[in-house]
Amino acid sequence: MGIVIAIDGPAGAGKSTIAQRLARRLGFIYIDSGAMYRAVALWALRQKLDPSDPHRMGELARAASITLEGEARVLLNGEDITEAIRAPEVSRAASLVATIPPVRRALVEKQRAIGAQNNVVMEGRDIGSVVFPNADLKIFLDASADERIRRRAAEVNGDRDVVSRQLSERDARDRSRTEAPLTQAPDAVYIDSTRLSIDEVEEAILRLVRARISNGKEFS
Ligand code: CDP
């Protein structure tokens, strides 16, 4: 088992930016678990399948060969889909696909396999609660709804009201689903990034890493 740093939280809290920076700083592998749900969703949309069909989506998730490479590239069955999975219709379909238990089982298995062999910074919704309940460090990264909407609208250069609706719909579904809903693990450290810069969040987490992980375990 490698060292696992789990970062969970809602959309727009800054997980991807922070997780990538930390991974680079520590020499760990960065894993965006959301990209895996997005990959299955994209495959479903391309095949004109219903992303809420449990049976078909379970099959797709098991059959999908998903590879996460350096610089956050995502491959599906050998094809680079890094940009394609960021389309708004894929975000929506990913959040539907992510409510399906057989999909989650298949993807959690892939995530655990990566963590078993590498030191990782893995981000998502259920990494500290379900995927790696024994993670070395768990962070729950949050920000106010207004700030999360502002950040996501700036990122995709989108209309604030449209982004607000999309984000609220996805957040509500992530928090209310029966299987692995977005929740803070009891032993996760809560960080509210609303008024913090990226550097400040990174520093806060690095302090926790030094205090909790560097003790006894070796990493670069
Ligand atoms: O980047 P953003 O926060 O917008 O979303 P994402 O992390 O790419 O995740 C896309 C969708 O996958 C989310 O809306 C969740 O429904 C789902 N997801 C999940 O259920 N479990 C995870 N560990 C990661 C993502």
Side-chain angles (χ1 to χ4, degrees), residues 15-16 19-20 23 28-32 68-69 72 120-121 123:
K15 299 186 299 292
S16 301
Q20 282 184 58
F28 285 19
I29 292 182
Y30 161 65
I31 299 294
D32 173 4
L68 304 178
E69 298 195 328
V120 294
V121 180
E123 59 139 318

Side-chain angles (χ1 to χ4, degrees), residues 2-215:
I3 299 172
V4 175
I5 299 177
I7 304 186
D8 292 299
K15 299 186 299 292
S16 301
T17 310
I18 291 297
Q20 282 184 58
R21 281 211 191 189
L22 279 174
R24 210 174 301 134
R25 224 15 214 269
L26 299 168
F28 285 19
I29 292 182
Y30 161 65
I31 299 294
D32 173 4
S33 65
M36 297 185 171
Y37 292 91
R38 288 173 178 272
V40 174
L42 175 70
W43 203 10
L45 292 177
R46 283 182 174 175
Q47 295 194 47
K48 310 234 176 312
L49 296 173
D50 174 5
S52 44
D53 176 338
H55 183 68
R56 299 305 295 274
M57 291 307 111
E59 282 179 349
L60 276 196
R62 284 189 296 274
S65 158
I66 303 168
T67 322
L68 304 178
E69 298 195 328
E71 300 307 314
R73 306 306 298 176
V74 188
L75 306 189
L76 170 66
N77 305 325
E79 178 194 346
D80 191 325
I81 53 159
T82 311
E83 277 78 36
I85 56 170
R86 298 296 150 192
E89 64 273 20
V90 179
S91 303
R92 182 161 188 283
S95 123
L96 289 169
V97 157
T99 62
I100 299 174
V103 170
R104 302 204 69 88
R105 273 198 294 280
L107 298 187
V108 166
E109 198 179 301
K110 294 182 203 285
Q111 291 151 16
R112 286 185 180 146
I114 301 170
Q117 305 198 351
N118 304 281
N119 293 337
V120 294
V121 180
M122 195 173 294
E123 59 139 318
R125 303 293 189 284
D126 62 340
I127 308 305
S129 55
V130 173
V131 185
F132 293 110
N134 298 319
D136 298 86
L137 176 64
K138 302 179 187 180
I139 304 290
F140 192 89
L141 190 59
D142 206 355
S144 71
D146 264 5
E147 177 63 14
R148 295 190 293 106
I149 291 160
R150 192 192 66 72
R151 289 179 191 168
R152 189 48 58 93
E155 189 184 351
V156 300
N157 203 5
D159 178 76
R160 200 190 172 288
D161 290 341
V162 175
V163 170
S164 167
R165 268 196 303 280
Q166 291 167 342
L167 222 62
S168 316
E169 187 199 349
R170 253 179 346 115
D171 260 2
R173 202 179 289 127
D174 284 345
R175 290 180 201 272
S176 68
R177 69 179 173 229
T178 337
E179 181 92 356
L182 169 66
T183 50
Q184 183 184 344
D187 52 348
V189 178
Y190 181 88
I191 298 180
D192 180 351
S193 75
T194 309
R195 287 182 191 79
L196 299 178
S197 68
I198 293 167
D199 283 345
E200 286 171 323
V201 176
E202 187 184 0
E203 268 317 307
I205 299 180
L206 278 173
R207 272 197 297 277
L208 292 166
V209 170
R210 283 186 208 110
R212 299 222 189 155
I213 304 181
S214 30
N215 269 341

